[in-house]
Amino acid sequence: MNSLKLINIGQLVTYDSVKNEMVVFENTEIAIEGNHIKEVGQNLGDADQIFDCKNKLVTPGFVDPHTHPVFLDGRENEFAMRLQGATYEEIAEAGGGIVNSINGVRNSSESHLISRVKTRMDRFLKLGTTTVECKSGYGLNTESELKSLKVIDDVNKSHFIDMIPTFMGGHAFPPEFKNNPNDYVDLICNEMIPEVAEQGIAEFNDVFCENGYFTVDQSRRILNAGKVHGLTSRIHADEFEDSAAAKLAGECYSISADHLMAVSDEGIQELAENGVIATLLPGTTFFLGKSEYAPYQKLKEAGVDVALATDFNPGSCHIQSMPFILSLSCIYLKMTVLDAIKAATFTSAKSLLLNKTIGSIEIGKKADIIVWDIERLVQIPYLVSDHPIQTIVKSGEIVFTS
Ligand SMILES: [Zn+2]
């Protein structure tokens, strides 16, 4: 088995599962054997390959637990429309928005989509993301949803990055079901979910529960159908207004409730009582030019675990950078830098049920590591538009050097 040793680490910042908190080690080393971390400490034994970190900062790779990367083209035209005053909702009502992406996916070959998604994964990895959750949800018929999940599976097999697949047939109502939305919910529950489960190409099942999208009753049906077929629930909840979606997340034991810009106090209580992780997406609030960010302090005070993600998608948030999400989280959510790093590594891994294997630099975990070109943690959010990443180790291999 190949071994690699990182020496002269100035500062190592990671979650510590024994102490249950973030820890900072000075002047340390990491020994890696094969894909995994063998030891963390000083004066570790010899290795096949030695990498000198030159007294710089080292952190775990980012885990991005909410993205929509399977689409054909960007939607910069709509971005331009918004600059002239149209809202996201108005663009959607005018037949734009997600419909463009649906047509793109439905009319694309698998190989065309694979090449687009692969390019996006290259960029995620260069930005320090070593594991990324990827949703379907721009196909919205059985064939194109399965095609989207197949694309995720194919790229995952050939790419260094780890992609975690989520089925999201419940992303929006496709135009052909505009007048009979319950028939589309039937299609998701009776045809799509069983077929997705049969093929074993998704781990999670997500739905956009919001006034004007899927109602609480429709969302409940979709999440329960997924559970019957072994898919763990996630939910897009209370993004534009309080739609009681956070309450549903608690009721359905969803692993994560995402967005939550408009969550009620009652909804927050429900998340806390049922151990639902709040995945906050400040990039979307920023990209849509809105001023109301998710109530991080309230969530924290209620004892809700908070994760961070990009929400990368062609419409409401074309951001792939977790370092930039850290800047937004510190500035707008008022998170401390340590809390933000924890939310973007350990807690985000937990929201993907992967906190036993990734999300921190600890013995036995996968060696997914960022060597930064800076000395101090606070410089990550402080540098905002810089991405001072020196080297990325993925599954024990050096896969990127700037
Ligand atoms: Zn989303």
Side-chain angles (χ1 to χ4, degrees):
M1 221 183 296
N2 279 343
S3 57
L4 167 68
K5 188 167 69 160
L6 308 188
I7 61 167
N8 294 325
I9 296 170
Q11 257 193 6
L12 170 61
V13 179
T14 180
Y15 185 76
D16 183 319
S17 305
V18 177
K19 292 185 177 161
N20 265 327
E21 61 183 16
M22 293 297 289
V23 291
V24 180
F25 298 111
E26 310 266 343
N27 305 314
T28 192
E29 298 178 347
I30 301 171
I32 297 162
E33 200 167 79
N35 301 334
H36 291 86
I37 294 164
K38 191 181 156 205
E39 243 184 311
V40 180
Q42 280 160 344
N43 304 314
L44 305 181
D46 228 358
D48 300 333
Q49 192 184 359
I50 306 286
F51 183 88
D52 188 348
C53 298
K54 297 182 178 161
N55 294 309
K56 303 287 187 179
L57 173 73
V58 167
T59 67
F62 292 115
V63 178
D64 186 345
H66 184 138
T67 80
H68 304 257
V70 190
F71 58 90
L72 186 68
D73 294 322
R75 303 214 306 255
E76 52 281 347
N77 290 346
E78 290 165 24
F79 181 75
M81 277 171 74
R82 280 204 287 114
L83 304 185
Q84 297 187 333
T87 65
Y88 184 63
E89 292 89 336
E90 282 165 358
I91 291 168
E93 275 162 25
I98 198 167
V99 174
N100 289 341
S101 299
I102 296 168
N103 291 333
V105 167
R106 286 182 178 178
N107 298 327
S108 289
S109 68
E110 212 171 284
S111 62
H112 202 170
L113 285 170
I114 285 173
S115 96
R116 294 295 171 92
V117 172
K118 190 186 165 301
T119 304
R120 290 169 194 144
M121 293 304 130
D122 291 345
R123 178 130 185 89
F124 272 120
L125 189 63
K126 275 185 194 170
L127 291 164
T129 297
T130 45
T131 300
V132 56
E133 184 259 14
C134 301
K135 302 177 199 295
S136 68
Y138 294 118
L140 305 189
N141 61 30
T142 306
E143 184 197 344
S144 297
E145 283 298 299
L146 288 170
K147 176 168 71 179
S148 301
L149 290 168
K150 178 83 172 16
V151 166
I152 293 169
D153 193 46
D154 276 11
V155 177
N156 186 40
K157 282 177 179 149
S158 64
H159 205 283
F160 283 115
I161 206 166
D162 281 324
M163 300 163 74
I164 310 301
T166 295
F167 166 68
M168 199 176 178
H171 196 188
F173 290 100
E176 64 271 25
F177 283 96
K178 209 176 166 196
N179 298 320
N180 45 343
N182 282 322
D183 290 353
Y184 182 61
V185 176
D186 288 343
L187 182 75
I188 292 176
C189 296
N190 302 333
E191 187 177 298
M192 290 189 196
I193 288 175
E195 189 62 33
V196 166
E198 164 87 25
Q199 295 194 12
I201 48 174
E203 293 183 25
F204 296 96
N205 177 32
D206 199 341
V207 63
F208 195 164
C209 181
E210 183 85 32
N211 292 336
Y213 294 83
F214 292 82
T215 65
V216 166
D217 284 343
Q218 291 167 337
S219 301
R220 184 187 290 111
R221 278 190 61 205
I222 291 170
L223 296 182
N224 284 339
K227 270 197 267 183
V228 167
H229 286 87
L231 301 176
T232 303
S233 305
R234 321 182 71 78
I235 183 167
H236 282 57
D238 304 330
E239 176 178 359
F240 302 120
E241 47 190 287
D242 172 27
S243 317
K247 281 182 69 183
L248 178 67
E251 178 199 315
C252 289
Y253 301 108
S254 178
I255 184 70
S256 175
D258 301 25
H259 284 295
L260 303 171
M261 278 107 92
V263 66
S264 65
D265 291 349
E266 208 187 342
I268 291 175
Q269 216 42 53
E270 202 77 26
L271 298 179
E273 281 166 19
N274 294 288
V276 180
I277 294 170
T279 298
L280 305 186
L281 313 167
T284 314
T285 314
F286 175 81
F287 197 83
L288 292 175
K290 298 198 170 188
S291 53
E292 284 299 314
Y293 283 80
Y296 166 68
Q297 288 301 338
K298 275 189 177 180
L299 289 159
K300 189 183 172 180
E301 278 159 26
V304 177
D305 265 356
V306 171
L308 290 170
T310 59
D311 192 22
F312 172 65
N313 74 76
S316 61
C317 185
H318 203 264
I319 295 171
Q320 289 189 255
S321 164
M322 286 297 274
F324 183 60
I325 295 298
L326 292 186
S327 299
L328 295 179
S329 303
C330 293
I331 295 167
Y332 293 111
L333 302 178
K334 315 286 182 210
M335 291 180 90
T336 67
V337 185
L338 270 184
D339 282 350
I341 293 277
K342 180 187 169 189
T345 55
F346 181 78
T347 314
S348 48
K350 191 174 170 187
S351 92
L352 298 176
L353 304 171
L354 291 172
N355 51 308
K356 295 270 188 280
T357 52
I358 57 168
S360 59
I361 298 175
E362 298 181 275
I363 294 168
K365 283 202 169 179
K366 214 180 234 193
D368 293 354
I369 296 166
I370 304 174
V371 182
W372 296 83
D373 196 15
I374 47 180
E375 283 83 26
R376 301 174 59 211
L377 193 67
V378 68
Q379 290 172 292
I380 302 175
Y382 174 71
L383 291 171
V384 189
S385 59
D386 275 2
H387 297 101
I389 290 173
Q390 157 64 30
T391 293
I392 293 163
V393 177
K394 173 64 194 158
S395 300
E397 248 185 276
I398 293 175
V399 295
F400 171 78
T401 300
S402 76

PDB file of all heavy atoms in Angstrom, residues 66 68 135 236 259 311, ligand 1:
ATOM      1  N   HIS A  66     -25.285  19.898  -0.824  1.00  0.00           N
ATOM      2  CA  HIS A  66     -26.498  20.333  -1.538  1.00  0.00           C
ATOM      3  C   HIS A  66     -26.106  20.995  -2.862  1.00  0.00           C
ATOM      4  O   HIS A  66     -25.734  22.166  -2.870  1.00  0.00           O
ATOM      5  CB  HIS A  66     -27.291  21.322  -0.656  1.00  0.00           C
ATOM      6  CG  HIS A  66     -28.602  21.765  -1.234  1.00  0.00           C
ATOM      7  ND1 HIS A  66     -29.748  21.886  -0.482  1.00  0.00           N
ATOM      8  CD2 HIS A  66     -28.972  22.122  -2.501  1.00  0.00           C
ATOM      9  CE1 HIS A  66     -30.755  22.299  -1.238  1.00  0.00           C
ATOM     10  NE2 HIS A  66     -30.299  22.459  -2.478  1.00  0.00           N
ATOM     11  N   HIS A  68     -27.036  20.963  -7.409  1.00  0.00           N
ATOM     12  CA  HIS A  68     -27.865  20.522  -8.548  1.00  0.00           C
ATOM     13  C   HIS A  68     -27.006  20.615  -9.814  1.00  0.00           C
ATOM     14  O   HIS A  68     -27.210  21.504 -10.641  1.00  0.00           O
ATOM     15  CB  HIS A  68     -29.075  21.445  -8.716  1.00  0.00           C
ATOM     16  CG  HIS A  68     -29.955  21.595  -7.509  1.00  0.00           C
ATOM     17  ND1 HIS A  68     -31.165  20.952  -7.393  1.00  0.00           N
ATOM     18  CD2 HIS A  68     -29.819  22.332  -6.378  1.00  0.00           C
ATOM     19  CE1 HIS A  68     -31.740  21.291  -6.231  1.00  0.00           C
ATOM     20  NE2 HIS A  68     -30.940  22.123  -5.601  1.00  0.00           N
ATOM     21  N   LYS A 135     -27.864  16.287  -6.921  1.00  0.00           N
ATOM     22  CA  LYS A 135     -29.275  15.950  -7.095  1.00  0.00           C
ATOM     23  C   LYS A 135     -29.624  15.828  -8.572  1.00  0.00           C
ATOM     24  O   LYS A 135     -29.093  16.579  -9.398  1.00  0.00           O
ATOM     25  CB  LYS A 135     -30.153  17.047  -6.488  1.00  0.00           C
ATOM     26  CG  LYS A 135     -29.886  17.299  -5.016  1.00  0.00           C
ATOM     27  CD  LYS A 135     -30.747  18.462  -4.511  1.00  0.00           C
ATOM     28  CE  LYS A 135     -30.195  19.058  -3.217  1.00  0.00           C
ATOM     29  NZ  LYS A 135     -30.222  18.164  -2.071  1.00  0.00           N
ATOM     30  N   HIS A 236     -36.143  20.559   0.770  1.00  0.00           N
ATOM     31  CA  HIS A 236     -35.982  22.004   0.553  1.00  0.00           C
ATOM     32  C   HIS A 236     -37.117  22.661   1.333  1.00  0.00           C
ATOM     33  O   HIS A 236     -38.288  22.471   0.983  1.00  0.00           O
ATOM     34  CB  HIS A 236     -36.131  22.347  -0.926  1.00  0.00           C
ATOM     35  CG  HIS A 236     -34.937  22.039  -1.771  1.00  0.00           C
ATOM     36  ND1 HIS A 236     -34.387  20.798  -1.857  1.00  0.00           N
ATOM     37  CD2 HIS A 236     -34.191  22.852  -2.571  1.00  0.00           C
ATOM     38  CE1 HIS A 236     -33.340  20.841  -2.695  1.00  0.00           C
ATOM     39  NE2 HIS A 236     -33.202  22.070  -3.133  1.00  0.00           N
ATOM     40  N   HIS A 259     -32.203  25.383   3.282  1.00  0.00           N
ATOM     41  CA  HIS A 259     -32.616  26.783   3.000  1.00  0.00           C
ATOM     42  C   HIS A 259     -33.040  27.469   4.306  1.00  0.00           C
ATOM     43  O   HIS A 259     -32.270  28.188   4.892  1.00  0.00           O
ATOM     44  CB  HIS A 259     -33.736  26.890   1.952  1.00  0.00           C
ATOM     45  CG  HIS A 259     -33.260  26.687   0.553  1.00  0.00           C
ATOM     46  ND1 HIS A 259     -32.386  27.549  -0.067  1.00  0.00           N
ATOM     47  CD2 HIS A 259     -33.534  25.716  -0.341  1.00  0.00           C
ATOM     48  CE1 HIS A 259     -32.142  27.120  -1.290  1.00  0.00           C
ATOM     49  NE2 HIS A 259     -32.809  26.005  -1.480  1.00  0.00           N
ATOM     50  N   ASP A 311     -25.469  25.006  -2.808  1.00  0.00           N
ATOM     51  CA  ASP A 311     -26.713  25.016  -3.602  1.00  0.00           C
ATOM     52  C   ASP A 311     -26.412  25.288  -5.074  1.00  0.00           C
ATOM     53  O   ASP A 311     -27.260  25.821  -5.794  1.00  0.00           O
ATOM     54  CB  ASP A 311     -27.715  26.048  -3.061  1.00  0.00           C
ATOM     55  CG  ASP A 311     -29.113  25.878  -3.671  1.00  0.00           C
ATOM     56  OD1 ASP A 311     -29.426  24.776  -4.149  1.00  0.00           O
ATOM     57  OD2 ASP A 311     -29.881  26.858  -3.673  1.00  0.00           O
TER      58      ASP A 311
HETATM   59 ZN    ZN B   1     -31.547  23.154  -3.942  1.00  0.00          ZN
END
